Amino acid sequence: MKKQRDVKFIIYQALYIFVVCVVAIKGANLDLTQVVEDDGKPTISIDSLLKLHEIIKKSIIVDTNLYVIIKKSDLEKMDDKIKQLVVSPQNVQISSSPINTFTTNNPQIQQNPEVKKEEELKKDPGEMQEIRIGNIQLTQYTNNTLNNPYDTPLEVEGITTIPPKSSKTFQTGGQSTVTIKVGSSTKTVELKPNEKPKISMQRVSSMGEETRVTQLQSSVCYRVTISDDFPGQLDVKFNGPVSVKTVGSGIYDVTMNAFGSKSAFDNFTDGKDSPYSVGFTVSVSDNIAGHKITGQNSFIFGEW
């Protein structure tokens, strides 16, 4: 019987030592501080509260409904654009303060302040319909081309309508202004006046009493230049004993072509005193504006 009790004692001692070792490994406090009152209620000590406060101070509380946490190693592998999006202050915020992290279902409280600011900056729909097609330049009495960048037709009131996303050439008259209309928005545009053409004549050959007819009829005598803001709509005519050669836009070389023979020259000069002269005329008319101007000049000579 004594041997059986000794065996049980040894077994209980081994179990006791094992339990003590396990409790010690788990980090439990093995001092004799009372943790339960006589009435069975837990004992709360100042030391325990201080330790709990230290734990809370070191805690990082994050509301995962609002913020995102990512490993630093994963962040370094990201592209720069994604990294900027993830680490921007508007997307990731970590609070180390012991604050209340409750969420609310009130949409006014959860609304992003940046979204609210953007909504406040939205323009009035009427203002968005303002006509903006750059500096429009239109001229009287000519063909003007205008581009319509809008998704609705653009109307030049009283003249034409331009389909959406297209250009159109139209002719204007003598109106000083036109009204452009897109939807319910309008814009008044002033028209630039169509200037009258100008004629300039430059004498190229010398002329006088000693000048020969054969000399004037074999070389350029005058260079006539006609300038206009829209030369393509001009009609130019030369009248008189001349030969005309076009050498550029609005530029003409003029040669005298008055006598086909010496006898024709003698008939012309019979009864007249030298120096002799024959003239020519340049007539210019604007086919749209109706402008008409003329220029005159003459060839002077004294011998055949």
Side-chain angles (χ1 to χ4, degrees):
M1 292 294 293
K2 184 176 182 180
K3 289 183 179 180
Q4 290 180 356
R5 288 196 298 270
D6 292 341
V7 171
K8 290 181 179 180
F9 177 78
I10 293 171
I11 291 174
Y12 292 148
Q13 286 287 74
L15 289 174
Y16 176 77
I17 294 172
F18 175 76
V19 172
V20 171
C21 291
V22 171
V23 173
I25 291 172
K26 292 296 183 178
N29 190 356
L30 299 180
D31 59 20
L32 299 179
T33 304
Q34 183 176 359
V35 296
V36 180
E37 299 290 348
D38 294 338
D39 57 1
K41 294 182 180 180
T43 300
I44 300 175
S45 64
I46 297 300
D47 182 61
S48 299
L49 293 176
L50 291 174
K51 290 183 178 180
L52 179 61
H53 180 66
E54 290 297 327
I55 293 173
I56 295 176
K57 286 174 60 178
K58 295 180 180 179
S59 298
I60 298 177
I61 303 175
V62 179
D63 185 355
T64 56
N65 292 324
L66 298 177
Y67 310 114
V68 176
I69 300 176
I70 188 170
K71 285 184 178 181
K72 184 177 180 181
S73 59
D74 293 338
L75 181 61
E76 293 175 350
K77 296 177 182 179
M78 290 184 178
D79 294 337
D80 291 339
K81 291 183 179 180
I82 301 178
K83 188 184 298 182
Q84 292 174 3
L85 179 64
V86 173
V87 302
S88 62
Q90 298 175 0
N91 296 324
V92 178
Q93 295 182 8
I94 299 177
S95 173
S96 60
S97 302
I99 59 174
N100 190 354
T101 59
F102 72 91
T103 59
T104 177
N105 293 324
N106 190 338
Q108 295 181 353
I109 298 177
Q110 290 182 340
Q111 186 177 16
N112 190 328
E114 293 295 328
V115 175
K116 184 176 181 181
K117 182 177 181 181
E118 182 178 350
E119 291 177 353
E120 292 175 353
L121 292 177
K122 284 184 178 179
K123 294 182 178 180
D124 181 79
E127 183 181 354
M128 297 298 290
Q129 295 177 359
E130 181 183 351
I131 299 177
R132 297 188 183 94
I133 49 178
N135 185 20
I136 304 175
Q137 292 185 349
L138 302 177
T139 305
Q140 297 174 335
Y141 298 113
T142 190
N143 292 316
N144 298 267
T145 301
L146 188 61
N147 177 54
N148 177 13
Y150 298 100
D151 295 325
T152 57
L154 183 150
E155 180 184 358
V156 184
E157 290 189 346
I159 299 178
T160 189
T161 298
I162 304 175
K165 305 293 184 181
S166 62
S167 299
K168 190 173 184 180
T169 299
F170 54 92
Q171 190 175 109
T172 53
Q175 56 267 71
S176 59
T177 62
V178 294
T179 300
I180 296 177
K181 183 178 181 181
V182 178
S184 60
S185 299
T186 59
K187 182 175 184 177
T188 301
V189 178
E190 293 186 1
L191 273 69
K192 180 182 177 182
N194 186 314
E195 302 293 338
K196 287 186 177 182
K198 297 178 181 180
I199 300 175
S200 174
M201 295 186 183
Q202 179 184 2
R203 181 183 290 183
V204 178
S205 298
S206 59
M207 299 180 189
E209 190 173 358
E210 297 180 357
T211 303
R212 296 178 179 274
V213 170
T214 53
Q215 177 184 347
L216 296 180
Q217 294 192 151
S218 60
S219 60
V220 176
C221 302
Y222 287 96
R223 170 156 288 183
V224 178
T225 302
I226 300 172
S227 57
D228 189 64
D229 44 2
F230 300 99
Q233 62 191 47
L234 298 181
D235 185 17
V236 180
K237 292 182 179 180
F238 287 84
N239 297 312
V242 295
S243 298
V244 181
K245 181 180 180 181
T246 303
V247 294
S249 178
I251 302 175
Y252 307 88
D253 282 348
V254 179
T255 300
M256 187 178 79
N257 187 16
F259 308 105
S261 62
K262 186 177 184 305
S263 59
F265 168 74
D266 291 338
N267 290 333
F268 176 78
T269 59
D270 187 24
K272 299 177 182 178
D273 297 330
S274 62
Y276 312 108
S277 68
V278 291
F280 69 96
T281 302
V282 183
S283 301
V284 180
S285 60
D286 189 318
N287 294 326
I288 299 178
H291 301 313
K292 293 183 179 181
I293 60 171
T294 58
Q296 295 179 338
N297 222 315
S298 60
F299 305 98
I300 301 174
F301 50 92
E303 300 178 7
W304 168 250

